[in-house]
């Protein structure tokens, strides 16, 4: 069972696992949307599309009941918490509180609720819980205070659950991809709304301190973001597959070119050196 299958990594993962013969329960934010329709059209009969807004407790419970009914008395082998949002990438002081709350609601609380709900099925099979965190969840990255904090919370949750659930044979893994082009960047309309909210909530003194030129530059940073991201998602898909199938999976995966380098510098060198880097 995986969440966030409408677009990006979740969509590609649903197709990939289906092509390998898995029975896939693909949770989507909109079961009538183009992503869901594409999965129905291109995948096998084994794949089931589930309406699953992970911030909606009722939908999470309904998805659990649907999966339980289809599995009958069998257990569920894997849950992949993939659904996530980026939020507007800007300095932490500039971000409105609504961005922090929304990131936590989706990237952390939603994943926790899905995990807690489906754990009884994983316990039956001694299965796998895979949480899609981010490089920003393991190291501090400028302009990702809200997103990074929510992913750091998810990574810590993964670590604690890995320790606590081991007595039932359940294995828990966190994935920290580097930059991939996933569609999480959102549409121009979404960014326009978020930018408008950000600008309208800025105190005059803060706006003056940063300067209009810097604030306008945030949009350019956002527009250039996809060009710095890798279009090939196969390293992430391979990491998830290894987490699901390997006899001894890693607790932490860092797919993507050089994803482990900043993490190593952060862990092994003085903080002033990492900040300079």
């Amino acid at each position: 069972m995986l969440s966030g299958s409408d677009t990006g990594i979740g969509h590609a993962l649903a197709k990939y696992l289906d092509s390998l013969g898995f029975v896939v329960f693909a949770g989507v934010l909109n079961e009538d949307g183009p992503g869901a329709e594409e999965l129905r059209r291109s995948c096998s009969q084994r794949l089931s599309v589930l309406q699953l807004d992970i911030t909606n407790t009722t939908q999470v419970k309904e998805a659990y009941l649907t999966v339980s009914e289809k599995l009958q008395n069998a257990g569920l082998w894997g849950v992949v918490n993939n659904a996530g949002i980026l939020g507007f990438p800007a300095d932490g002081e500039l971000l409105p509180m609504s961005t922090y709350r929304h990131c936590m609601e989706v990237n952390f609380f939603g994943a926790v609720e899905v995990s807690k709900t489906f754990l009884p099925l994983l316990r039956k099979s001694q299965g796998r819980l895979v949480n899609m965190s981010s490089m920003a969840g393991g190291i501090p990255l400028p302009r990702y205070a809200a997103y990074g904090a929510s992913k750091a919370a998810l990574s810590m949750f993964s670590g604690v659950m890995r320790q606590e659930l081991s007595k039932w044979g359940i294995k828990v893994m966190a994935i920290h991809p580097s930059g991939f082009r996933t569609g999480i960047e959102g549409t121009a309309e979404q960014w326009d709304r978020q930018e408008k909210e950000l600008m309208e909530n800025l105190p005059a003194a803060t706006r003056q301190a940063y300067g209009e030129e810097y604030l306008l530059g945030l949009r350019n940073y956002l527009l250039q973001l996809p060009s710095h991201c890798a279009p090939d998602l196969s390293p992430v898909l391979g990491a998830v597959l290894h987490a699901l199938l390997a006899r001894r999976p890693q607790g932490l995966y860092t797919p993507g070119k050089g994803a482990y380098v900043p993490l190593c510098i952060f862990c092994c060198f003085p903080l002033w050196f990492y900040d300079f880097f």
Side-chain angles (χ1 to χ4, degrees):
M1 202 289 295
L2 63 144
S3 62
S5 302
D6 305 74
T7 59
I9 292 172
H11 188 80
L13 186 60
K15 287 183 172 181
Y16 180 57
L17 294 177
D18 177 72
S19 71
L20 294 175
F22 282 77
V23 176
V24 178
F25 299 97
V28 295
L29 186 61
N30 181 7
E31 63 181 341
D32 298 318
E37 289 301 323
E38 166 66 15
L39 290 177
R40 291 190 188 98
R41 185 185 62 78
S42 63
C43 293
S44 73
Q45 296 287 319
R46 291 185 307 273
L47 184 138
S48 302
V49 173
L50 305 175
Q51 173 60 43
L52 182 59
D53 176 351
I54 63 171
T55 66
N56 185 318
T57 298
T58 301
Q59 288 189 18
V60 174
K61 287 179 179 175
E62 286 174 352
Y64 171 79
L65 292 173
T66 301
V67 171
S68 298
E69 186 179 334
K70 291 198 175 186
L71 290 174
Q72 295 180 349
N73 291 323
L76 179 69
W77 178 249
V79 170
V80 182
N81 282 309
N82 167 76
I85 58 166
L86 179 62
F88 196 92
D91 301 61
E93 183 183 8
L94 303 177
L95 292 171
M97 286 306 299
S98 61
T99 299
Y100 284 94
R101 292 190 180 97
H102 194 199
C103 279
M104 289 299 292
E105 193 66 36
V106 177
N107 298 344
F108 179 59
F109 292 124
V112 171
E113 179 147 22
V114 169
S115 301
K116 284 166 59 66
T117 302
F118 281 86
L119 271 174
L121 296 181
L122 292 182
R123 189 174 283 111
K124 279 185 180 180
S125 61
Q126 297 186 331
R128 309 287 169 92
L129 175 62
V130 183
N131 292 312
M132 191 66 67
S133 184
S134 166
M135 191 164 73
I139 55 174
L141 294 174
R143 296 183 176 172
Y144 293 99
Y147 175 75
S150 66
K151 289 297 191 178
L154 180 60
S155 294
M156 183 58 71
F157 172 75
S158 296
V160 174
M161 296 303 277
R162 185 181 67 248
Q163 296 169 343
E164 293 177 350
L165 298 176
S166 62
K167 58 179 169 283
W168 288 289
I170 300 172
K171 291 180 168 59
V172 183
M173 288 68 64
I175 315 282
H176 281 201
S178 62
F180 287 90
R181 208 173 299 166
T182 64
I184 197 173
E185 300 89 357
T187 65
E189 293 78 15
Q190 287 172 317
W191 291 124
D192 287 341
R193 284 198 303 271
Q194 292 193 58
E195 185 181 38
K196 185 170 183 286
E197 183 184 7
L198 184 148
M199 294 301 185
E200 286 178 350
N201 285 283
L202 274 186
T206 306
R207 181 185 286 266
Q208 185 178 359
Y210 281 83
E212 293 297 325
E213 185 178 349
Y214 182 83
L215 295 173
L216 292 173
L218 292 174
R219 171 171 278 271
N220 293 331
Y221 172 79
L222 180 65
L223 294 174
Q224 293 169 10
L225 199 56
S227 66
H228 298 294
C229 296
D232 179 16
L233 299 177
S234 58
V236 187
L237 305 185
V240 175
L241 185 66
H242 191 274
L244 288 171
L245 293 185
R247 191 180 185 90
R248 291 184 177 87
Q250 304 167 27
L252 174 65
Y253 291 82
T254 55
K257 192 175 180 181
Y260 63 92
V261 175
L263 183 62
C264 288
I265 293 174
F266 178 71
C267 293
C268 302
F269 287 82
L271 283 178
W272 67 263
F273 183 82
Y274 171 79
D275 290 345
F276 175 78
F277 171 80

